[in-house]
Amino acid sequence: MVEVKSIQKSFGGTEVLKGVDLKVEQGDVVAILGPSGSGKTTLLRCMNFLERAQSGQLIFDGRTYDLHKITKKEIAQIRRKTAFVFQNYNLFLNKTALQNVTEGLTIARKMDKAKAEEIARGALEKVGLSDRCDYYPSQLSGGQQQRVAIARALAVDPEIIYFDEPTSALDPELTGEVLTVMRKLAEEGMTMLVVTHEMGFARNVSSKVVFMEDGVVVESAPSKEFFENPRSERTREFIRLIQQE
């Protein structure tokens, strides 16, 4: 469904992605793990063109794009089929939960306001916030704000949702409510690519785990195999350290 090949990205003289390959099939929930600075978030941002890769290919819905030469029109076409959930919510503070979800539908997609509100209310209900439509971000907990962000992603009916450490800004109790929503989406077949430090999610919800370090993929395997029989010594060390925390 979506695949990147030999994706390379540098910031100044620092090479952050060193020819990364990654493939996500329809219905997959892929967890990307790795230490800080391994290139996980940069990979995600390059795949949704929040950063521009210097080289590599992206294959989406059967079409192959040169990431160095891709046009703004092609990027816009791909983005219409994807959504991105940020670490720090990225909500409009002066808009209600409902308005935050409808904004992308009415502005970017020129949807009729009544239709947009109908879709937005359905998305907020899906994440358990139908009673918070008229609340502003300042009136919501961090977990509720992140669920509004997930509702905003769902409202555009994406083929894949990219999640960039969606629970890293939350305390454990609020983390649980966000992960519950993501687990439900996984059970319903939503394709997701998730940069995360949540080992329980990676082990129990994701279908595949990708472990990155120093700008390369060290290991990629089905989740059960990754945790129970890692091939790389570096992967085994990472899992040991995580389990000790």
Side-chain angles (χ1 to χ4, degrees), residues 10-11 29 36 78 80 87 100 129 132 160 176 182 234:
S10 297
F11 293 101
V29 178
S36 297
I78 293 169
R80 286 182 68 86
Q87 182 174 335
N100 266 283
L129 291 175
R132 295 290 190 270
I160 184 171
M182 293 174 66
R234 180 63 188 98

Side-chain angles (χ1 to χ4, degrees), residues 53-88:
Q54 272 89 20
S55 64
Q57 292 182 321
L58 182 139
I59 302 164
F60 191 89
D61 279 352
R63 284 193 61 187
T64 300
Y65 302 88
D66 183 326
L67 289 172
H68 182 64
K69 299 177 181 178
I70 192 167
T71 66
K72 288 183 179 180
K73 182 179 179 181
E74 289 171 330
I75 290 172
Q77 289 170 343
I78 293 169
R79 276 185 162 172
R80 286 182 68 86
K81 299 178 181 180
T82 69
F84 200 101
V85 175
F86 295 87
Q87 182 174 335
N88 292 313

Side-chain angles (χ1 to χ4, degrees), residues 146-163:
Q146 191 61 292
R147 285 190 282 155
V148 172
I150 294 173
R152 178 179 58 191
L154 291 172
V156 299
D157 192 25
E159 294 183 16
I160 184 171
I161 303 179
Y162 300 106
F163 291 84

